[in-house]
């Protein structure tokens, strides 16, 4: 473990490319972080990814709504992060400390009761083998989500998109001021049908977060456009919370690069349930 951490501390993120000013990145950021990643890196640009979440169709409101009366609240052993722009905390996914939040996940059948239109959802795969990075979506009501999936902005049934998986509402993770719910849904609906090269977000998280917060920093190349003509680019810091209260910090020039690295780390780990709380739904 010591040698692996030594390898990390010599990475110089400030020299890595941040994006194409046109808004569509041609080359993926390639970073090998020894203590999280294998030697075989995965392409996390979701504008052209294979179907990892097994969505079986476009779905329609009310379709295949489950009637389970027993839900599960799960607590996972997972990597935790916080992110900063300068001294300002802009993202927090931690279970302790002043920025702590509830990281519990729920069975898919329980999610609609926890959601309102305009909410951000994170869907996770708990299989025993390699898993894709967490998948983000905008909940638009009636059991439907809009998300960047398989190189397309599409609307699907939540139950089909998350079949066999779990999820949670993640509205509070990014610390930006959210848009009103109606505008969040309008942002998502207004991009339905866009494909591959028409899409200026490289992953589902960036698209869903842009819909909710409206910040161009979530778009590929958006940070460079904002910084054009300035001498200094904005500095971002990603803090990776390790065991025994240790924290490793890496720097980036753009929020998009920070998100991709965070998702790459998420995809490299094995999610393990450490607590399972059964929740009985007494509604008939």
């Amino acid at each position: 473990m010591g040698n692996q951490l030594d390898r990390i501390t010599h990475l110089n993120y400030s020299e890595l490319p941040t994006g194409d000013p046109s808004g569509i990145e041609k080359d993926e950021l390639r970073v090998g972080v020894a203590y999280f990643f294998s030697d075989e890196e995965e392409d996390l640009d979701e504008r052209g990814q294979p179907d990892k979440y097994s969505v079986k169709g476009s779905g329609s409101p009310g379709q295949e709504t489950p009637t389970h009366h027993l839900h599960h609240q799960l607590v996972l052993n997972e990597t935790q992060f916080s992110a900063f722009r300068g001294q300002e905390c802009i993202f927090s996914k931690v279970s302790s400390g002043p920025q702590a939040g509830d990281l519990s996940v729920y069975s898919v059948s329980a999610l609609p009761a926890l959601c309102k239109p305009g909410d951000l959802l994170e869907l996770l795969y708990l299989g025993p083998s390699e898993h894709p990075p967490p998948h983000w979506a905008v909940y638009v009501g009636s059991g439907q989500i809009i998300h960047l999936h398989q190189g397309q902005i599409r609307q699907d049934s939540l139950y089909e998109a998350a079949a066999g998986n779990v999820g949670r509402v993640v509205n509070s993770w990014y610390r930006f001021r959210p848009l009103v719910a109606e505008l969040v849904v309008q942002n998502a609906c207004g991009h339905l049908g866009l494909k591959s090269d028409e899409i200026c977000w490289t992953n589902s998280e960036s698209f869903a977060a842009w819909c909710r917060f409206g910040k161009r920093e979530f778009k590929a190349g958006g940070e460079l456009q904002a910084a054009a003509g300035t001498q200094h680019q904005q500095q971002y810091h990603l803090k990776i919370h390790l065991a025994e209260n240790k924290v490793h910090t890496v720097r980036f020039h753009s929020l998009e690069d920070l998100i991709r690295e965070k998702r790459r780390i998420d995809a490299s780990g094995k999610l393990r349930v450490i607590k399972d709380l059964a929740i009985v739904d007494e509604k008939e």
Side-chain angles (χ1 to χ4, degrees):
M1 183 69 178
N3 292 337
Q4 292 172 331
L5 285 174
D6 289 342
R7 290 173 59 189
I8 289 178
T9 57
H10 289 84
L11 291 177
N12 185 355
Y13 285 81
S14 64
E15 297 178 359
L16 294 174
T18 57
D20 189 311
S22 66
I24 303 295
E25 295 192 349
K26 306 298 190 302
D27 298 315
E28 276 299 296
L29 176 65
R30 299 289 180 178
V31 184
V33 182
Y35 71 108
F36 284 117
F37 305 126
S38 65
D39 293 333
E40 184 178 355
E41 295 178 354
E42 180 184 7
D43 185 354
L44 297 187
D45 189 327
E46 297 176 23
R47 289 173 291 188
Q49 273 195 335
D51 189 349
K52 291 184 176 180
Y53 274 85
S54 302
V55 177
K56 299 177 181 177
S58 60
S60 59
Q63 181 179 4
E64 295 188 15
T65 302
T67 57
H68 298 160
H69 297 285
L70 178 64
H71 305 309
H72 291 273
Q73 176 184 355
L74 307 176
V75 179
L76 304 178
N77 178 25
E78 56 183 325
T79 306
Q80 298 184 15
F81 306 94
S82 55
F84 295 79
R85 181 174 56 191
Q87 299 298 315
E88 176 192 7
C89 180
I90 60 171
F91 178 90
S92 180
K93 176 194 170 185
V94 295
S95 59
S96 61
Q99 304 290 344
D102 182 11
L103 303 186
S104 300
V105 299
Y106 300 85
S107 55
V108 172
S109 58
L111 285 178
L114 303 174
C115 296
K116 305 180 303 293
D119 281 351
L120 296 186
L121 295 181
E122 183 188 56
L123 307 177
L124 301 140
Y125 174 68
L126 295 182
S129 58
E130 233 177 83
H131 61 85
H135 190 73
W136 286 48
V138 176
Y139 186 75
V140 295
S142 301
Q144 296 286 296
I145 59 171
I146 293 178
H147 55 151
L148 169 54
H149 178 72
Q150 209 173 0
Q152 182 179 358
I153 306 295
R154 53 188 285 174
Q155 180 169 333
D156 287 299
S157 162
L158 170 61
Y159 308 113
E160 293 178 340
N165 301 307
V166 295
R168 54 192 165 195
V169 178
V170 292
N171 292 335
S172 63
W173 286 10
Y174 282 100
R175 299 305 175 93
F176 303 117
R177 179 178 296 180
L179 303 173
V180 297
E182 293 81 2
L183 188 53
V184 176
V185 174
Q186 180 181 321
N187 282 343
C189 292
H191 292 80
L192 278 172
L194 291 185
K195 297 181 179 179
S196 299
D197 291 342
E198 301 173 304
I199 297 173
C200 56
W201 301 272
T202 56
N203 57 70
S204 61
E205 179 175 340
S206 293
F207 170 69
W210 176 84
C211 289
R212 183 166 176 85
F213 302 106
K215 288 191 166 291
R216 62 183 172 184
E217 289 90 337
F218 287 109
K219 293 185 176 183
E223 201 92 20
L224 291 182
Q225 295 171 19
T230 62
Q231 291 184 340
H232 300 286
Q233 291 179 310
Q234 181 66 62
Q235 188 81 93
Y236 292 88
H237 300 83
L238 176 66
K239 294 190 175 183
I240 306 162
H241 296 258
L242 309 173
E244 300 176 355
N245 295 320
K246 296 180 179 178
V247 176
H248 182 73
T249 303
V250 289
R251 296 189 301 273
F252 301 89
H253 282 316
S254 76
L255 179 59
E256 182 66 16
D257 284 346
L258 183 151
I259 290 172
R260 279 189 302 196
E261 182 67 359
K262 177 175 69 69
R263 292 174 61 77
R264 195 182 297 275
I265 294 172
D266 269 333
S268 70
K270 298 281 192 300
L271 293 178
R272 180 169 59 87
V273 176
I274 57 177
K275 187 180 294 185
D276 184 347
L277 303 175
I279 304 173
V280 178
D281 182 359
E282 297 180 353
K283 294 181 180 181
E284 294 298 333

